[in-house]
Amino acid sequence: MTLYSCCLILLLFTWDTAAYGPNQRAQKKGDIILGGLFPIHFGVAAKDQDLKSRPESVECIRYNFRGFRWLQAMIFAIEEINSSPTLLPNMTLGYRIFDTCNTVSKALEATLSFVAQNKIDSLNLDEFCNCSEHIPSTIAVVGATGSGISTAVANLLGLFYIPQVSYASSSRLLSNKNQFKSFLRTIPNDEHQATAMADIIEYFRWNWVGTIAADDDYGRPGIEKFREEAEERDICIDFSELISQYSDEEEIQQVVEVIQNSTARVIVVFSSGPDLEPLIKEIVRRNITGKIWLASEAWASSSLIAMPEFFRVIGSTIGFALKAGQIPGFREFLQKVHPKKSPNNGFAKEFWEETFNCYLPDGSKNSPSSTSFHKGHEEGLGAGNGTAAFRPPCTGDENITSVETPYMDYTHLRISYNVYLAVYSIAHALQDIYTCTPGKGLFTNGSCADIKKVEAWQFLKHLRHLNFTNNMGEQVDFDEFGDLVGNYSIINWHLSPEDGSVVFEEVGHYNVYAKKGERLFINENKILWSGFSKEVPFSNCSRDCLPGTRKGIIEGEPTCCFECVDCPDGEYSDETDASACDKCPEDYWSNENHTSCIPKQIEFLSWTEPFGIALTLFAVLGIFLTSFVLGVFTKFRNTPIVKATNRELSYLLLFSLLCCFSSSLFFIGEPQNWTCRLRQPAFGISFVLCISCILVKTNRVLLVFEAKIPTSLHRKWWGLNLQFLLVFLCTFVQIVICVIWLYTAPPSSYRNHELEDEIIFITCHEGSLMALGFLIGYTCLLAAICFFFAFKSRKLPENFNEAKFITFSMLIFFIVWISFIPAYASTYGKFVSAVEVIAILAASFGLLACIFFNKVYIILFKPSRNTIEEVRCSTAAHAFKVAARATLRRSNVSRKRSNSLGGSTGSTPSSSISSKSNHEDPFPLPASAERQRQQQRGCKQKVSFGSGTVTLSLSFEEPQKNAMANRNAKRRNSLEAQNSDDSLMRHRALLPLQ
């Protein structure tokens, strides 16, 4: 059975070797063999396998110069290690390198060769087979390029735990160690690249893109990760298509139609150059321009795509490139390649023929008659050049530096450096095995692997724990997923002004180690859009919403398609494409365009506004007039009218009016806490003091005139001290109300935001409306009592109480404050204070005018009426009126009694009152003469009682002037005791009080 297995494996190995002849591999013997997989060709020729005969291996076509340069990087690194005295001394590394032709099938053929050799070594067939050409097992494989190819290779190598170190496969699926146990790589995975693509789109404020991905394990996971990142950034995808280099023409046409009809200008492409090439050619044929291509690393520098004839279509490409490395001596090594000087490199012959477009006579496989070649080139997948016509023979003396090919493009060594780093990673892992100290190894009980018999799984263990410093001073260690974290350069395609070729200008970088939001750097000044423009293209479903607006959702459309809606009042947006409007702070309001917040307008009853100035002027006018009246009363304090009005109470009344006018000023200006707490009590106490003075004054005179014969008790009751005590008691009640109010719920300044959105009304919060109601209610109660007494005393001598004017003033007071209540309740803001000021001023002016203006007028302009005779005449007239009424009442009662007894006529009481019925004085004097006579001799009054008129005459001349006239006046005014009325005597008794 063992012999049968040996023969089967030998047969498999022999078939594999036959499929790969000497000219299709690079091979060198060594103590330890490294495998290599590189895309020396772009693909394979299409061939119909009808199975009528034994299938033949498909032929590789379209030479890839960069693939050959990567192969050279591996050979250069191995030779450099073999010549190093410190790294793996006394050990020689060999290699077996195969061409994958950028296809999975060819890569698996090569991988089977590695696996088969390892299985032969594991069977230990040396005792059965005399193998003089024995090749050691492949300890590790460097490759492959595409993620789809590496996925297939990794599945196979993983079965045998053969380490695979890829230099260009970036699919994030390969980080799954459960599936790809032995896979490692020296290139970052696409997860960071997809995130970087989304960051670039967000940076340029694009939100409407299309996606294209290769239909393999590289394109699908990459674009899926991009969709996840795009969704987080509110980036919408208009279309998403899959492509392949093997897609038929109809599929390509369909994808191109989608691109042409799409409004998205940015197209994100996760693909390799060969997969994308058919699509780009069709786009160029249709001349679809104006698109921005965001390229993944696999084709961002692909010479299959970066061709001058394609530039008008893809000139706006922005792509990702791996960080370039430095390989000292590599340039000279590349220049030394020659078919005759590279016996171990079976690909050198074809490279020479493709470079100089000739053929070497000793070969038939690559003769011009056997293969057709096509143009193209790529950093990772560059095309060879050739023609179907016959080539001239090569001389072998051609100069490699005289021809420009991607092979000699060593200015930015990216993939080449990754290959170089992969080889050195393997070498350092072998060095760790070589220098391992027993007891400190990675295996059971600290054992070490034997460097001469090391197995693949042992070597994989050391690779996973690798940690060394590369030639650029950077730390190299694989993470738990077998990845190396690296950074990206961002490149922009430019057209060289020198030779018209496409050059890759570095315009930024992406640092995966930086914080989120700080990873991307782009120098916009270096970017050329469509090869010449500096203006960033627009790729949004909807036009930007300007500041002051926000994005509004359109039903049935993606979130990136929106309408611009104006921000509501009180909200703003200061950036374009705002998703929502921000609310202004409490003390701010949006401006007219809703682009910013401005301080709200502050409103209160200001000193400087016209309304406030007018109210202030009226208050000052009231203070001035009150002061003027007070001055007049002070100056004429000994005149009869001032005395008759109870001058002490008048002074207090005028002082209270000064306080009323002054209290209105507390309602003007910006409300502060102290003014709010002071203004209502000042107003309330001032008015109560004023009304109390009027009340006591009116009530005193009414009591005097309504009382019987004044006694000592009356004189005590009517004394000045008791009057002031009554005023104090009435005012003290208001003071108590104010103190309780200020203690329990003190008013305070209040910024009202609710009345109008854009205005802050600074008002006084009264604390307690009930307290304010008590304050005004108590004032009105006193006013009502005062009105009652004033109305009752309306017929008393006006020199004493001006009852009619006080009544009228109280009516004004009630009208003002009754009107104040609905006005106060219906207004808001500064007008609340204005209404109260107007009410205070109106009531104060009403009291001042009605009570004092008439007296001031008499004092200043009618001094003849400001005499003791005028005052006594007014008092006596009132007394006679009362007496006459009493006499007539008694006369009527007597007549009624006489009539009831026998119809006798009642006699008229004896008195000095002359009664004239229904006729006037037959010889009336002129009015002026009559007034003069009254002034000279006394006064004369007529009192009418229904059908009768009583004429009263009194004289108050001084004795020294005319004694005779005095006696006559006394005779005319004498009233007999038996005929006098008690009421008349009462009013006579009042005269000395004046």
Side-chain angles (χ1 to χ4, degrees):
M1 183 64 181
T2 302
L3 182 60
Y4 174 77
S5 299
C6 175
C7 295
L8 181 61
I9 293 174
L10 283 175
L11 179 62
L12 178 63
F13 180 72
T14 302
W15 180 82
D16 184 71
T17 304
Y20 278 77
N23 292 330
Q24 292 179 305
R25 73 175 66 184
Q27 180 171 302
K28 183 180 180 180
K29 293 181 179 181
D31 299 323
I32 297 176
I33 301 297
L34 306 183
L37 297 173
F38 295 92
I40 309 301
H41 295 86
F42 282 118
V44 295
K47 190 174 183 180
D48 185 18
Q49 299 286 355
D50 58 4
L51 301 180
K52 293 183 178 180
S53 58
R54 180 172 180 169
E56 297 179 0
S57 179
V58 292
E59 187 176 11
C60 299
I61 59 173
R62 302 173 66 195
Y63 195 78
N64 182 0
F65 285 99
R66 283 190 172 85
F68 184 69
R69 172 151 55 85
W70 302 339
L71 180 147
Q72 288 287 80
M74 180 175 176
I75 295 175
F76 173 78
I78 290 176
E79 292 184 359
E80 193 175 61
I81 292 169
N82 286 339
S83 61
S84 172
T86 57
L87 191 58
L88 296 178
N90 304 320
M91 297 287 296
T92 301
L93 296 180
Y95 53 84
R96 296 176 66 210
I97 303 173
F98 294 95
D99 179 13
T100 64
C101 299
N102 202 39
T103 60
V104 173
S105 59
K106 287 293 184 181
L108 288 178
E109 288 183 22
T111 305
L112 283 173
S113 175
F114 303 139
V115 173
Q117 183 62 47
N118 283 22
K119 291 306 294 179
I120 292 175
D121 286 349
S122 66
L123 293 176
N124 194 16
L125 299 178
D126 289 342
E127 56 183 287
F128 300 102
C129 307
N130 183 14
C131 301
S132 58
E133 296 295 327
H134 172 67
I135 300 176
S137 301
T138 302
I139 199 64
V141 176
V142 178
T145 307
S147 296
I149 297 174
S150 288
T151 300
V153 172
N155 279 320
L156 183 56
L157 293 179
L159 294 174
F160 305 98
Y161 291 93
I162 300 175
Q164 176 187 357
V165 184
S166 176
Y167 48 84
S169 300
S170 57
S171 173
R172 63 191 184 113
L173 295 181
L174 292 168
S175 297
N176 185 353
K177 294 299 105 179
N178 291 327
Q179 184 175 358
F180 308 105
K181 303 177 180 64
S182 61
F183 181 84
L184 303 95
R185 52 185 163 192
T186 56
I187 184 175
N189 69 48
D190 289 332
E191 187 164 354
H192 298 296
Q193 188 175 185
T195 303
M197 284 182 167
D199 286 344
I200 286 181
I201 293 174
E202 186 178 34
Y203 176 86
F204 288 111
R205 303 183 64 84
W206 296 324
N207 64 14
W208 191 237
V209 301
T211 62
I212 296 175
D215 191 10
D216 56 22
D217 290 337
Y218 170 72
R220 288 191 300 269
I223 213 66
E224 180 183 351
K225 176 62 177 177
F226 170 79
R227 286 197 196 98
E228 295 174 2
E229 297 292 335
E231 186 176 353
E232 292 181 3
R233 295 165 173 79
D234 293 328
I235 299 171
C236 299
I237 298 176
D238 184 28
F239 64 88
S240 186
E241 300 291 335
L242 296 175
I243 59 173
S244 172
Q245 62 177 318
Y246 303 111
S247 299
D248 55 35
E249 185 176 351
E250 183 179 351
E251 293 174 339
I252 296 296
Q253 293 283 351
Q254 183 178 356
V255 175
V256 173
E257 288 286 344
V258 172
I259 295 173
Q260 190 171 16
N261 296 329
S262 174
T263 57
R265 295 190 62 186
V266 175
I267 302 176
V268 179
V269 182
F270 257 95
S271 174
S272 64
D275 287 325
L276 185 61
E277 183 186 20
L279 179 66
I280 296 298
K281 285 183 176 179
E282 180 60 26
I283 292 175
V284 171
R285 189 186 70 81
R286 295 196 184 191
N287 195 27
I288 302 174
T289 59
K291 302 295 183 181
I292 299 101
W293 300 84
L294 195 54
S296 64
E297 168 274 329
W299 74 274
S301 57
S302 171
S303 54
L304 279 176
I305 312 300
M307 300 178 68
E309 54 267 31
F310 296 166
F311 191 80
R312 72 179 188 274
V313 169
I314 56 173
S316 296
T317 298
I318 293 180
F320 291 87
L322 300 174
K323 183 179 178 181
Q326 298 177 0
I327 307 178
F330 186 51
R331 176 180 180 181
E332 292 74 15
F333 179 79
L334 293 177
Q335 294 175 353
K336 292 179 182 179
V337 65
H338 194 281
K340 294 181 180 179
K341 297 179 182 179
S342 306
N344 297 319
N345 192 344
F347 301 104
K349 179 177 180 294
E350 185 177 0
F351 164 75
W352 199 265
E353 292 175 339
E354 294 296 332
T355 301
F356 298 106
N357 198 23
C358 62
Y359 75 94
L360 294 172
D362 59 342
S364 58
K365 236 181 182 191
N366 292 316
S367 64
S369 59
S370 61
T371 309
S372 62
F373 300 90
H374 304 276
K375 285 188 176 182
H377 79 92
E378 172 190 8
E379 156 65 10
L381 302 171
N385 60 1
T387 176
F390 291 97
R391 297 175 175 177
C394 301
T395 63
D397 298 327
E398 291 84 0
N399 185 3
I400 193 71
T401 60
S402 63
V403 181
E404 290 187 6
T405 61
Y407 173 77
M408 294 299 296
D409 183 13
Y410 44 79
T411 54
H412 298 289
L413 299 176
R414 295 185 173 94
I415 300 297
S416 299
Y417 184 77
N418 285 353
V419 174
Y420 181 81
L421 187 61
V423 174
Y424 264 87
S425 298
I426 294 172
H428 278 279
L430 290 172
Q431 178 73 11
D432 291 343
I433 297 175
Y434 183 78
T435 58
C436 178
T437 302
K440 297 181 178 180
L442 300 178
F443 305 102
T444 305
N445 299 324
S447 60
C448 297
D450 185 356
I451 186 64
K452 296 182 179 179
K453 296 182 179 180
V454 61
E455 297 186 37
W457 65 270
Q458 294 174 320
F459 180 63
L460 177 60
K461 179 72 171 179
H462 277 272
L463 268 179
R464 289 178 177 176
H465 292 80
L466 179 67
N467 192 335
F468 74 99
T469 303
N470 62 15
N471 66 325
M472 296 179 63
E474 298 173 343
Q475 201 69 19
V476 178
D477 60 327
F478 297 102
D479 61 17
E480 57 181 326
F481 304 108
D483 300 334
L484 289 182
V485 179
N487 300 325
Y488 292 97
S489 297
I490 300 174
I491 59 175
N492 179 223
W493 289 13
H494 291 185
L495 202 60
S496 174
E498 299 172 358
D499 56 5
S501 63
V502 177
V503 295
F504 310 119
E505 179 72 19
E506 186 169 338
V507 296
H509 61 265
Y510 188 83
N511 184 3
V512 299
Y513 298 101
K515 296 179 181 178
K516 188 175 182 180
E518 300 177 0
R519 298 173 181 173
L520 179 67
F521 170 77
I522 293 181
N523 187 351
E524 292 189 52
N525 295 326
K526 290 186 176 182
I527 298 178
L528 292 179
W529 304 100
S530 299
F532 61 88
S533 176
K534 288 285 187 179
E535 183 180 358
V536 179
F538 180 82
S539 183
N540 296 66
C541 182
S542 301
R543 283 288 173 182
D544 293 345
C545 287
L546 299 177
T549 62
R550 64 171 178 83
K551 295 187 290 186
I553 298 175
I554 301 176
E555 188 174 356
E557 295 291 336
T559 56
C560 298
C561 301
F562 50 81
E563 58 182 352
C564 297
V565 180
D566 291 336
C567 291
D569 292 337
E571 298 183 8
Y572 75 100
S573 66
D574 56 358
E575 59 183 12
T576 57
D577 281 348
S579 299
C581 298
D582 298 321
K583 285 187 176 294
C584 290
E586 186 178 23
D587 292 343
Y588 289 81
W589 193 252
S590 56
N591 60 1
E592 184 178 357
N593 297 325
H594 300 279
T595 56
S596 63
C597 289
I598 57 177
K600 287 184 178 180
Q601 180 181 349
I602 304 295
E603 280 204 5
F604 52 86
L605 189 59
S606 173
W607 298 100
T608 57
E609 65 176 290
F611 198 25
I613 293 174
L615 293 177
T616 303
L617 290 178
F618 276 108
V620 172
L621 177 61
I623 295 172
F624 172 77
L625 291 177
T626 307
S627 301
F628 175 75
V629 172
L630 182 59
V632 171
F633 268 56
T634 303
K635 183 177 180 180
F636 297 94
R637 60 185 177 276
N638 294 321
T639 60
I641 286 184
V642 174
K643 289 182 177 181
T645 56
N646 197 337
R647 63 187 171 192
E648 288 79 7
L649 280 180
S650 296
Y651 294 155
L652 186 59
L653 176 58
L654 288 170
F655 171 75
S656 66
L657 285 174
L658 281 174
C659 294
C660 290
F661 283 113
S662 300
S663 68
S664 66
L665 298 177
F666 289 113
F667 292 84
I668 304 174
E670 181 176 355
Q672 305 291 337
N673 285 337
W674 69 272
T675 57
C676 290
R677 294 188 176 107
L678 183 61
R679 65 182 193 174
Q680 297 291 7
F683 143 71
I685 295 172
S686 300
F687 264 92
V688 165
L689 179 61
C690 178
I691 301 299
S692 298
C693 291
I694 298 173
L695 176 62
V696 171
K697 182 180 178 182
T698 306
N699 188 44
R700 172 185 173 274
V701 176
L702 181 64
L703 288 176
V704 167
F705 278 96
E706 292 295 327
K708 303 293 182 180
I709 299 299
T711 63
S712 59
L713 180 62
H714 287 107
R715 292 178 182 273
K716 184 178 180 181
W717 177 257
W718 297 329
L720 188 62
N721 292 334
L722 185 57
Q723 295 175 41
F724 281 110
L725 178 61
L726 291 175
V727 171
F728 171 76
L729 291 176
C730 293
T731 308
F732 181 74
V733 175
Q734 186 77 304
I735 294 174
V736 170
I737 292 174
C738 293
V739 169
I740 295 174
W741 182 8
L742 294 178
Y743 180 78
T744 57
S748 61
S749 178
Y750 171 63
R751 300 171 72 90
N752 195 328
H753 300 266
E754 300 175 356
L755 297 178
E756 291 190 22
D757 294 329
E758 68 276 12
I759 299 176
I760 298 177
F761 291 99
I762 302 182
T763 59
C764 286
H765 188 273
E766 302 301 349
S768 172
L769 290 178
M770 181 180 294
L772 179 61
F774 274 118
L775 183 142
I776 297 177
Y778 178 68
T779 306
C780 292
L781 175 62
L782 291 181
I785 298 174
C786 184
F787 175 78
F788 170 76
F789 286 121
F791 181 79
K792 190 173 181 181
S793 61
R794 66 189 184 282
K795 295 182 181 181
L796 295 181
E798 62 179 17
N799 301 69
F800 288 89
N801 205 34
E802 306 85 37
K804 295 179 182 179
F805 296 104
I806 291 179
T807 303
F808 186 65
S809 68
M810 290 298 103
L811 286 175
I812 294 176
F813 185 88
F814 279 119
I815 292 172
V816 167
W817 289 107
I818 291 173
S819 302
F820 165 77
I821 295 174
Y824 185 87
S826 60
T827 54
Y828 61 90
K830 64 181 181 181
F831 300 105
V832 174
S833 298
V835 166
E836 193 160 357
V837 171
I838 292 172
I840 293 173
L841 294 178
S844 301
F845 273 113
L847 294 173
L848 178 65
C850 293
I851 298 175
F852 292 102
F853 281 4
N854 182 48
K855 299 207 175 288
V856 172
Y857 174 77
I858 294 174
I859 292 172
L860 296 180
F861 301 105
K862 298 291 182 180
S864 60
R865 297 177 61 184
N866 189 14
T867 60
I868 189 64
E869 292 83 359
E870 185 73 16
V871 174
R872 288 176 177 177
C873 179
S874 176
T875 305
H878 180 76
F880 278 115
K881 289 178 185 179
V882 175
R885 289 192 187 96
T887 301
L888 290 177
R889 281 198 301 271
R890 290 181 180 182
S891 177
N892 292 333
V893 170
S894 298
R895 283 197 297 268
K896 289 179 180 180
R897 287 179 178 176
S898 298
N899 292 334
S900 64
L901 293 175
S904 63
T905 305
S907 61
T908 303
S910 174
S911 71
S912 60
I913 301 176
S914 61
S915 177
K916 297 179 181 180
S917 301
N918 301 323
H919 67 275
E920 300 292 337
D921 189 354
F923 305 102
L925 294 175
S928 60
E930 177 68 18
R931 284 195 299 272
Q932 184 177 2
R933 185 168 67 88
Q934 289 181 5
Q935 291 175 1
Q936 292 175 355
R937 302 187 59 183
C939 64
K940 186 174 184 178
Q941 300 288 339
K942 292 182 179 181
V943 183
S944 298
F945 301 98
S947 62
T949 300
V950 178
T951 301
L952 307 175
S953 295
L954 293 174
S955 176
F956 304 103
E957 292 183 1
E958 296 296 332
Q960 63 268 25
K961 287 185 179 181
N962 195 334
M964 184 61 70
N966 199 12
R967 287 194 298 270
N968 295 334
K970 288 181 179 179
R971 285 196 299 267
R972 287 194 301 268
N973 291 293
S974 63
L975 297 174
E976 297 298 333
Q978 64 273 16
N979 298 321
S980 66
D981 187 85
D982 291 341
S983 176
L984 178 61
M985 295 301 294
R986 179 178 64 250
H987 294 288
R988 279 182 171 177
L990 182 63
L991 293 176
L993 297 176
Q994 309 307 321

